[in-house]
Amino acid sequence: QQQVKQSPQSLIVQKGGISIINCAYENTAFDYFPWYQQFPGKGPALLIAIRPDVSEKKEGRFTISFNKSAKQFSLHIMDSQPGDSATYFCAASRRTGGTYKYIFGTGTRLKVLA
Amino acid sequence: EAGVTQFPSHSVIEKGQTVTLRCDPISGHDNLYWYRRVMGKEIKFLLHFVKESKQDESGMPNNRFLAERTGGTYSTLKVQPAELEDSGVYFCASSQDTNNYGYTFGSGTRLTVV
């Protein structure tokens, strides 16, 4: 049973445009929601993360919007650049028995056209 | 600071053979995690070590998978005998302590079973 649903599967955006990736979760016990960015041949790298006590977090061109009542969160990439072309994974986590186990979405392949 | 290192980067083996994947975490990181991504699907948790002890191995698919972390340093993940469905990218990640939500991932080992 997939607990974090991510959409879209792929996304093409023009340079300078806004990229939006959405995720929905089921387990209300999750308390940490990171976004990871993965370039080909590399491992996922933490991009930005949010906790459920805030509705938005912004770091540079990247913003997470969080809707606790709807159990949804999204990543917005403003002024998208060709260098942002990568696969993005959302995730949710909570501490269970001493382990912070991530539940990942299926990933979104973003391509930003020059 | 050196990152998380995984060997090999690629492995192609025949069904029924044995493969051993290795992960060297960031020095001083007590927590080591293994995850796997089957093509097109989400990245799934396999297990978590704290030093040399298995904290959580609930994600291990079956008894053909054996993970070890002797001495609390590097870890190995052995698949024996390998099956076609074991193909995927195996990621290792480490973190400094269990209160640290953020992982650092390695680049992964792409395993292909033919």
Side-chain angles (χ1 to χ4, degrees):
Chain A
Q1 180 186 11
Q2 184 185 347
Q3 297 183 51
V4 177
K5 293 185 179 180
Q6 183 172 349
S7 64
Q9 188 174 18
S10 62
L11 181 61
I12 300 175
V13 173
Q14 293 288 336
K15 179 182 176 182
I18 302 174
S19 304
I20 302 174
I21 305 171
N22 300 298
C23 284
Y25 63 97
E26 298 169 7
N27 191 338
T28 56
F30 290 137
D31 61 1
Y32 180 71
F33 300 87
W35 284 89
Y36 277 80
Q37 179 188 55
Q38 184 186 17
F39 293 105
K42 303 292 185 182
L46 180 64
L47 184 64
I48 186 173
I50 197 168
R51 296 192 187 279
D53 53 344
V54 297
S55 60
E56 185 176 282
K57 183 173 181 179
K58 184 176 180 180
E59 291 184 3
R61 296 184 294 107
F62 301 91
T63 300
I64 299 179
S65 296
F66 188 85
N67 186 329
K68 189 174 182 177
S69 60
K71 294 188 284 186
Q72 295 176 346
F73 58 111
S74 60
L75 175 69
H76 295 236
I77 306 174
M78 312 300 289
D79 187 26
S80 298
Q81 299 297 311
D84 297 331
S85 298
T87 299
Y88 293 80
F89 294 94
C90 64
S93 175
R94 68 182 179 102
R95 185 174 181 142
T96 307
T99 292
Y100 283 119
K101 186 187 309 183
Y102 284 175
I103 309 297
F104 282 93
T106 50
T108 296
R109 184 173 289 184
L110 171 66
K111 185 176 179 65
V112 182
L113 302 177
Chain B
E1 172 182 79
V4 177
T5 307
Q6 292 188 244
F7 302 99
S9 58
H10 295 84
S11 180
V12 181
I13 62 171
E14 293 184 351
K15 176 182 173 181
Q17 288 186 324
T18 298
V19 63
T20 300
L21 314 181
R22 173 170 167 146
C23 170
D24 287 73
I26 292 173
S27 178
H29 282 195
D30 288 340
N31 294 276
L32 187 149
Y33 304 83
W34 284 97
Y35 281 77
R36 174 176 75 171
R37 187 185 191 208
V38 172
M39 184 179 290
K41 305 220 170 184
E42 68 270 30
I43 302 171
K44 277 193 171 180
F45 171 86
L46 296 178
L47 88 159
H48 170 210
F49 283 100
V50 177
K51 296 184 180 179
E52 67 275 9
S53 300
K54 291 177 185 174
Q55 182 75 22
D56 182 345
E57 53 183 329
S58 61
M60 294 288 266
N62 50 60
N63 59 11
R64 295 185 294 102
F65 289 74
L66 175 64
E68 295 180 325
R69 192 183 182 195
T70 306
T73 55
Y74 71 91
S75 174
T76 58
L77 180 64
K78 179 189 286 188
V79 184
Q80 179 183 28
E83 298 290 344
L84 299 179
E85 64 264 26
D86 301 332
S87 296
V89 181
Y90 290 76
F91 291 106
C92 175
S94 70
S95 69
Q96 193 162 18
D97 57 63
T98 52
N99 290 318
N100 185 349
Y101 285 85
Y103 298 172
T104 301
F105 279 88
S107 296
T109 294
R110 181 176 296 276
L111 174 64
T112 303
V113 183
V114 297

